[in-house]
Amino acid sequence: HVQLVESGGGSVQAGGSLRLSCAASEYLYRANCMSWFRQAPGKEREKVASVYTDDGSKYYADPVKGRFTISQDNAKKTVYLQMNSLKPEDTAMYICAAQHTWDGAACQGRVEYNYWGQGTQVTVS
């Protein structure tokens, strides 16, 4: 039963843009902490951005601040990651994760996510 579906990855030249989407199934109606992670070959998975959908508070990892924007569409239960000024070091598998947390601070902290998508590949050359 697929509960998180990512889309929007692809190949782009440095300086280009991509927008990723993560659609959550209705089963995840309680999940209010939505995050994007990425994992490059040989590297650990890192959290890129998160949004606490109850109040819209957001978190960004330092390497993407000012270039990436996370947004939400609660009606569609979809979270987006707009990625601008892409760099070769942004190349990775981007994975969406969802969990319920009690507040935005918890969402921005260390969360044990129960729900993960399959990922979408982003390649920047």
Side-chain angles (χ1 to χ4, degrees):
H1 181 68
V2 179
Q3 301 183 29
L4 290 171
V5 179
E6 301 101 331
S7 61
S11 296
V12 65
Q13 291 188 337
S17 298
L18 285 173
R19 189 176 84 149
L20 307 183
S21 300
C22 173
S25 75
E26 292 183 356
Y27 178 79
L28 298 183
Y29 66 95
R30 289 192 73 234
N32 54 11
C33 180
M34 304 288 291
S35 295
W36 284 98
F37 288 77
R38 68 184 181 187
Q39 187 163 21
K43 294 188 177 180
E44 290 191 359
R45 185 172 60 197
E46 63 172 341
K47 185 162 73 172
V48 173
S50 63
V51 59
Y52 183 63
T53 58
D54 285 0
D55 65 11
S57 57
K58 300 171 184 179
Y59 158 86
Y60 296 98
D62 286 342
V64 307
K65 281 181 181 176
R67 300 189 298 122
F68 290 11
T69 302
I70 191 168
S71 61
Q72 63 192 84
D73 184 332
N74 288 347
K76 295 182 179 179
K77 203 150 181 72
T78 298
V79 171
Y80 305 96
L81 186 67
Q82 177 67 44
M83 305 186 295
N84 298 329
S85 302
L86 283 162
K87 304 175 181 180
E89 51 264 44
D90 293 319
T91 295
M93 181 70 75
Y94 283 71
I95 309 158
C96 179
Q99 184 60 355
H100 176 269
T101 61
W102 293 109
D103 56 36
C107 179
Q108 293 176 18
R110 194 173 182 86
V111 178
E112 291 213 14
Y113 291 87
N114 287 336
Y115 306 101
W116 295 87
Q118 294 298 307
T120 184
Q121 178 68 35
V122 171
T123 302
V124 185
S125 59

